[in-house]
Amino acid sequence: MGSTATHTRPRTDTTPAPAPAAPAPAEEPRPRPTGRRDTDGMAVASFILGLIGLLVLNLVLGPVAIVLASVALWRGTTRRGRALLGLGLGVADLVVLAALVSVDNTVSWGLAG
């Protein structure tokens, strides 16, 4: 029986070894976008708070409605009309409060008189 030895030649690779991979740059966390949804919500909230403020808590709800409407308009809301209504109602809250204070000479007022 003969021996069946296989002779293999050592592989000589002439291609250069690949360069070590550069470390990937650290990914910066993306800031949460202040999307249209946030600004649209502010516009609607300013409208609702301004409307409620005509009846109760005008000293608090009026300025809140003005601020929310201003921020929504500044950020470019798609509900521009609602934000403008909220702005107008917030101002109206303060005007109603000023009128009632001048009539009653007090900051508190009620519907009963």
Side-chain angles (χ1 to χ4, degrees), residues 7-63:
H7 295 286
T8 58
R9 261 199 269 185
R11 235 176 133 190
T12 56
D13 218 359
T14 58
T15 58
E27 264 187 55
E28 295 179 15
R30 291 189 299 180
R32 181 177 172 264
T34 54
R36 298 279 183 214
R37 185 175 175 195
D38 292 342
T39 56
D40 290 349
M42 285 185 212
V44 171
S46 71
F47 172 71
I48 292 171
L49 291 177
L51 198 57
I52 293 172
L54 287 173
L55 301 174
V56 294
L57 296 173
N58 5 24
L59 184 62
V60 175
L61 296 180

Side-chain angles (χ1 to χ4, degrees), residues 43-96:
V44 171
S46 71
F47 172 71
I48 292 171
L49 291 177
L51 198 57
I52 293 172
L54 287 173
L55 301 174
V56 294
L57 296 173
N58 5 24
L59 184 62
V60 175
L61 296 180
V64 171
I66 292 171
V67 168
L68 284 175
S70 300
V71 170
L73 288 170
W74 181 69
R75 288 186 179 177
T77 182
T78 57
R79 297 183 181 207
R80 183 172 164 76
R82 189 95 18 111
L84 289 172
L85 281 172
L87 185 65
L89 286 170
V91 171
D93 291 347
L94 297 179
V95 169
V96 166

